[in-house]
Amino acid sequence: PVDILEKPARLTSNEFYTMKSNVFHTYRILSRFIGDKDIVEWASYHHEKLNGKGYPFRLRANRIPLGSRIMAVADIFTALTEDRPYKKSLSSREAIKILIHLAEKGEIDSQTVKILEKNLKFIDRSRKVSQEKAAKFYREIRNNPLLYE
């Protein structure tokens, strides 16, 4: 729900549970419409942690596909480098430091983080262009009640 997505404060435990349910719904919906099992898993497992403390299935490293590992790093990097209603964006360098720390804790794939860091200049440019396009699209949808309902 938009009121949770755009909430400018800390989420309650129920709101956080609602947010976490997105991966279950991703799995359920994509399984119906996409025949490629790998793509369904990549999208559905991107909140899993290598140490087994992720969600929704608490998978450990050997059960998490490389595509999901890449998506996890990309998702965290994007969340850290975008403005959100509850926080300002971090610089790419600050985000990389956090990702390195998460990799050291065994949560995310260290090799993927290294590749991101090595290609940061290119990725950062691409990310900024994509975020500008997405923000414009989102504003257009928000301003059109027929599309947004």
Side-chain angles (χ1 to χ4, degrees):
V2 175
D3 58 321
I4 294 176
L5 280 175
E6 296 183 355
K7 185 176 179 179
R10 188 174 195 86
L11 299 179
T12 66
S13 58
N14 282 344
E15 291 167 334
F16 189 64
Y17 177 79
T18 298
M19 286 293 292
K20 287 172 66 170
S21 72
N22 85 79
V23 289
F24 168 75
H25 295 296
T26 297
Y27 187 87
R28 188 175 57 80
I29 292 166
L30 291 181
S31 292
R32 286 185 64 200
F33 297 106
I34 295 180
D36 190 326
K37 180 181 170 239
D38 290 335
I39 292 173
V40 173
E41 288 182 352
W42 296 347
S44 303
Y45 298 170
H46 76 278
H47 285 293
E48 297 290 351
K49 303 289 184 218
L50 299 180
N51 59 12
K53 294 182 180 179
Y55 63 91
F57 303 112
R58 296 184 140 323
L59 301 177
R60 294 189 80 60
N62 61 339
R63 303 261 332 270
I64 303 171
L66 178 59
S68 298
R69 294 171 186 223
I70 293 167
M71 287 184 71
V73 171
D75 183 54
I76 296 167
F77 180 76
T78 300
L80 292 170
T81 57
E82 284 183 343
D83 284 338
R84 299 288 168 104
Y86 53 89
K87 69 152 192 77
K88 286 291 188 191
S89 64
L90 298 177
S91 73
S92 295
R93 284 281 155 215
E94 291 170 307
I96 289 291
K97 286 180 186 175
I98 291 170
L99 291 170
I100 290 169
H101 177 70
L102 293 173
E104 288 170 349
K105 287 177 29 180
E107 293 187 15
I108 60 175
D109 188 79
S110 60
Q111 191 61 32
T112 303
V113 174
K114 288 176 186 172
I115 292 169
L116 171 64
E117 184 176 25
K118 182 178 176 185
N119 295 282
L120 188 58
K121 192 172 182 177
F122 169 76
I123 290 168
D124 217 19
R125 276 195 313 266
S126 299
R127 176 188 58 82
K128 287 177 183 175
V129 169
S130 295
Q131 285 173 336
E132 288 167 8
K133 287 179 183 177
K136 181 180 179 212
F137 179 71
Y138 183 70
R139 283 190 303 275
E140 289 171 2
I141 289 174
R142 286 286 300 186
N143 292 330
N144 186 336
L146 295 176
L147 292 175
Y148 197 63
E149 293 298 317

